[in-house]
Amino acid sequence: MRNALDLSKTSVEKDDIYSIPIDAFFKSAFSVDCVIFGYHEKELKVLLIQRGTDPYEDFWALPGDLVYPYEDLDAAAARVLNDLTTLHEIPMRQVHTFGKVDRHPLGRVITVAYLALVEVQDIAPLASNWAKDAKWHSIKRIPKLAFDHKQILQECHKALKEIIVSEPIWTTVLPKKFTLTQFQEMFETILQREFDKGNFRKKISGVKFLKQLDEAQTNVRHRPSALYKFDPKLFKAYKEKGFVFEF
Amino acid sequence: MRNALDLSKTSVEKDDIYSIPIDAFFKSAFSVDCVIFGYHEKELKVLLIQRGTDPYEDFWALPGDLVYPYEDLDAAAARVLNDLTTLHEIPMRQVHTFGKVDRHPLGRVITVAYLALVEVQDIAPLASNWAKDAKWHSIKRIPKLAFDHKQILQECHKALKEIIVSEPIWTTVLPKKFTLTQFQEMFETILQREFDKGNFRKKISGVKFLKQLDEAQTNVRHRPSALYKFDPKLFKAYKEKGFVFEF
DNA sequence: TACACTAATTGTAATTAATACAAAAAGTAT
DNA sequence: ATACTTTTTGTATTAATTACAATTAGTGTA
């Protein structure tokens, strides 16, 4: 694998009709930028870092890093998440690649945006040698951001709403056993709309991968709610049929 | 802009805790690969080239090229389409970025996949110095492809089905004035399902951006169909509300 | 001119789904 | 035992979907 970078000087993809030496093509870099959304009690947040180095020192930014020469894109995104939160096994989803020529002051760097959704309480954001600070910001109050990160965040917020209805990334923000009210509130927060409780429940009731348990809430000052759990095996069949929640 | 590649040797994104010199990051390249779908008379095809150079010489492949140092990603995709077909002003949509470390034999090259949909008849595919041949292939009969292009094609076919219901990329494959039957057949072909004619029409009838004209077919040996046209201005309002065809 | 032919267009009845509520139920706290 | 609160079930109305059948408007032919 190492010698994958021992580049010959011969043509790679096409004859060089524009007279640019092939070397010129191998002088760019790519990064991943991670939009880590956090959910907690009907609030949607995003994890931002305060940059510790130039360019854009002191600016708030999305956590991200250059991809190492022998590192897969997905692995780089997972690494950034892990560095910052110590979390692993949280699925990161690729959203879009941003590649404007002048987006990075130090050279040609295109960046691949990823998103994840986590429970705010599961994380103690770590500062590091590349970030002076790391903090949750409400999605409603985002400071000025470095690079083109504002645009990246916007695109990823839109993508989150699309992904949440077809992929069970929400399992990371609910307890293993959850009530239908918790489930509904989570969707209401992320999709930014409200649902009638009775009707919402009716739709859910047909969905087999949400399995009702024989347990109920305790110590609540009202009728206790039944508890449900997500069944990944049953979900698989739904996914193959192209299931999406149609709210 | 030119000096964007006059890279300083200082840290770019983070301190170098893995002892990889910063130079190592600026030795990769990126390409665009274009999945150009073609539609004609209830058939979906894809435009493939036969490679004229190593690696994978003689293999069929998606048309693609390295991105020039001062070229935007979208522009590179448009250039590839134009080189091959002389078409311009066809919207290219970014789908996904593929970045496995070993996907390219000559070095670290990640590729950004784009798709477009065109009318087969509008194009006389051009061979060129980087492609021995260029031909339409039915989506049902795809030969062995170079690199990871098989996977890229699969992902883009899936993406086409999602995009077609929310974006009017289909305008490029229908005549300016079209019948509802043509419209239905196009969706049936691309989505790979069939619809009841009467019910399909009922759904369409509520959609204002498909405007019925005061004209009809002539010289058909059956009741002539009314002609419709797409109204981009009216569509804009639909798009802002997040419209999708729900078939 | 009348009639056959074909696909476009309209209509309809039966079923299913969406919506807006209201009523009942099951715990805890007093 | 009763009040309180939220869960859970129910219901009546409206709207959408579905699977067809019937009608229509041209062209081509006898």
Side-chain angles (χ1 to χ4, degrees), chain A residues 181 197 201-202 221-226:
Chain A
T181 299
K197 211 165 185 176
R201 156 183 306 269
K202 247 174 271 178
R221 55 199 296 85
H222 55 75
R223 174 170 178 176
S225 173

Side-chain angles (χ1 to χ4, degrees), chain A residues 92-110:
Chain A
M92 302 286 297
R93 315 237 163 216
Q94 192 192 116
V95 173
H96 194 84
T97 297
F98 297 83
K100 280 263 173 273
V101 169
D102 58 356
R103 62 173 296 282
H104 198 300
L106 295 189
R108 187 73 200 273
V109 182
I110 69 173

Side-chain angles (χ1 to χ4, degrees), chain A residues 49-119:
Chain A
I49 59 127
Q50 194 173 27
R51 288 176 62 83
T53 57
D54 260 333
Y56 291 103
E57 183 162 5
D58 293 333
F59 275 68
W60 288 99
L62 297 172
D65 196 12
L66 293 174
V67 178
Y68 295 135
Y70 308 105
E71 184 179 44
D72 283 342
L73 292 174
D74 295 353
R79 171 171 59 80
V80 167
L81 176 69
N82 182 257
D83 278 359
L84 202 61
T85 66
T86 73
L87 290 175
H88 53 281
E89 304 198 357
I90 297 281
M92 302 286 297
R93 315 237 163 216
Q94 192 192 116
V95 173
H96 194 84
T97 297
F98 297 83
K100 280 263 173 273
V101 169
D102 58 356
R103 62 173 296 282
H104 198 300
L106 295 189
R108 187 73 200 273
V109 182
I110 69 173
T111 195
V112 185
Y114 281 77
L115 72 74
L117 179 62
V118 302
E119 161 61 48

